[in-house]
Amino acid sequence: MEEKSYGLDLTQGKISSVLLRFAWPFVAANLVMALHGVISMVVVGQFTGREVISGVSTGTQMMFPLFPFYVGIGTGGTVLIGRSIGEKNDDAGRRAVGSFTVISIGLVLFLTLFMLILRDPLLAALKTPAEALPSARRYVMFCTIGVPFNAAYSMICAVARGMGNSKAPSVAAGISCVVNITLSLLLVGGAGLAEAGVGIATSAAQFSGFVYIAIWIYRKRLPFSFTKKDIKADKKSVRFLLVVGCPLILQDLLISISFMINTNRVNIIGVEASASVGVVQRLFNIAGVVPNSFGSAISAMTAQNIGAGKRERASAAMRLGVMYAAIVNAVVVICCLIWPEGITSAFSKDRDIIVGAANYLRSFSLDAFIVAFVFCMNAYLSGCGKSNVSMWHSLATAFLVRVPLSIYVTSLPDLALNTRLFYLGGISPLASFVSVVVMLIYIRWYNKRYMTALPAA
């Protein structure tokens, strides 16, 4: 395995060693990012009441529709740049980065305006409890300040992944985490700014991560010559970015909407249920760290190896990633099943919320094991240029399993709150299991029959 100034050559060396070496910085970065979200909720839970917890949780759900754009276009950029590097085609690389830059600038402007215009209508659509609405509005307002920096940070990290570099994004995430935790403690715990303090800390953290990653890419340069004249839309590159990115955007956007529908249903139950579910959702970001990290590594490895004509190597990386992620997350599930109330007690002083969140966590935690398969297999399909398959199976499980069951459970009469929360928690692992079955069938068929049907980079 050859390490260059800008990143690793993912087409050479022992597959397990390359995958682990490339993935561990993603693990560190994603763990740090998850921890500062968790710590923010711990700070809110220990220094404020259930209304603020509910407001921050609902506001966080409202921010989720932004992430599909980061992930979709970012994955398209990673795959396109990775293919170019795997092919050792400098001209294609220049066209890829130039087109990706143009699309990213437009994306930043669109997302910022989206949040400024639709904040109040979305909070109303989520049925935010009346007592939590002021907190939710303030939290979203301050988080919106950081949207341009978070979008730009995500796009530059996508370029770094395509180049085979996973260390720079993790350092940026570490800086961001330190800023977030420090300001959360100072502004919420010290100054008593509650949800406003969390929102300010989040935006400041996003800005600091962006500054670092921007300086890094400026100093390290790209593996090929690139000037301001290259910042333009190339038809072929834009087409590839859209072919890979748009299905992922639509997939994650509609899945986010399905989760927002679930939030709507939970918020109807009341502020106690809203706060309980919100605690677990923030906590469970940690369970996605390892699968998401190996997914990031797998998509880049798949792209570079397909560019180099090494398709079996890409498939082997996917299988190893699933195995590593599943082993780690099996431990997470066991901990959640053994100590549910001990875990949720860190997020609130309110006994009702501790118990409610624990009941939701008991069934929801099973999803941690199953998403190890989902994330890694989705990443492999994206690296193959088959993100449309990920889109269709994800949408099917979201709107044929998750949403209908959520509506059904929240509509059941005479059901105790904690029992209702337990049933609601079990819906996500069931939906993920259906996704895994569909992907296993498709990937088995694709690897045998359809390995050459890829969009041209």
Side-chain angles (χ1 to χ4, degrees), residues 3 11 56 103 107 115 123 126 144 156 172 213 246 316 378 444 448:
E3 181 169 9
T11 66
V56 171
I103 290 179
L107 188 63
M115 292 307 302
L123 287 174
L126 288 172
T144 301
I156 298 174
I213 200 71
C246 284
N378 270 342
R444 183 178 176 82
K448 285 185 175 181

Side-chain angles (χ1 to χ4, degrees), residues 102 147 195 219 236 245 251 334 350 406 409 444-445 457:
V102 171
V147 167
E195 67 286 328
R219 287 182 173 176
K236 195 174 182 180
Q251 163 196 313
I334 292 170
D350 189 319
S406 176
V409 171
R444 183 178 176 82
W445 172 81

Side-chain angles (χ1 to χ4, degrees), residues 28 72 90 119 130 141 162 179 217 240-241 249 276 321 330 355 373 382 403 407 410 453:
D90 290 353
R119 179 191 64 172
M141 179 182 70
V179 171
I217 201 165
F240 184 90
L241 284 167
I249 291 173
S276 298
V355 174
F373 294 79
S382 296
V403 170
I407 293 172
T410 54

